[in-house]
Amino acid sequence: MEQLSIKSKYLVKTDNIGFLFPVVWSSIALIWGVLFHEVSGAIFISIISLFFVWLTYKLTSFVLSFQQHSGIVSNGHYDQAIKLLWFVSAFGFLVSIANAVLFQPEKHMYYQAVFSIVSFGFALASARKWGCHYVAK
């Protein structure tokens, strides 16, 4: 029988903040956009980015739930895949922010920076699906 590994601190913190981080991110982006950018664009990008965080969370959770029901891979590989998914999504978030700030023209910078939160949905799903191991019946 495999020994279950302990949930890492970064996964625990991600699980604890949940959707609070994307909601705060989108709210600040909405306020910033209304004050300094186009009002309709700020409203749209804030709402749509929050929706896409939720959508990526739900779709990723659905795919990861296959492991719990059918045991497609070993539980050790599943744990490593969860960690990889979290790190790739965190790296994608940071790269997207850096790309928006450093390489985008000013008129596109705001929209890409706001939309970069979408990759957080993958990290949240991986944090919440930790420990959903297959147990043979």
Side-chain angles (χ1 to χ4, degrees), residues 9-68:
K9 289 181 183 179
Y10 57 88
L11 290 171
V12 171
K13 288 180 182 178
T14 304
D15 193 9
N16 288 342
I17 62 172
F19 282 105
L20 182 63
F21 179 58
V23 168
V24 169
W25 181 274
S26 295
S27 300
I28 291 170
L30 178 64
I31 293 167
W32 185 270
V34 167
L35 294 176
F36 300 109
H37 295 282
E38 182 183 337
V39 174
S40 60
I43 293 170
F44 177 75
I45 196 70
S46 297
I47 291 172
I48 205 74
S49 63
L50 199 56
F51 171 73
F52 274 114
V53 169
W54 175 81
L55 185 65
T56 57
Y57 166 74
K58 284 296 188 182
L59 290 174
T60 306
S61 294
F62 175 69
V63 170
L64 292 175
S65 70
F66 293 149
Q67 172 66 19
Q68 188 175 11

Side-chain angles (χ1 to χ4, degrees), residues 76-105:
H77 286 112
Y78 177 74
D79 290 345
Q80 296 304 319
I82 291 288
K83 289 178 182 178
L84 177 68
L85 181 61
W86 190 92
F87 279 111
V88 167
S89 64
F91 182 73
F93 173 69
L94 294 175
V95 167
S96 184
I97 289 289
N99 184 30
V101 172
L102 299 174
F103 301 113
Q104 293 297 320

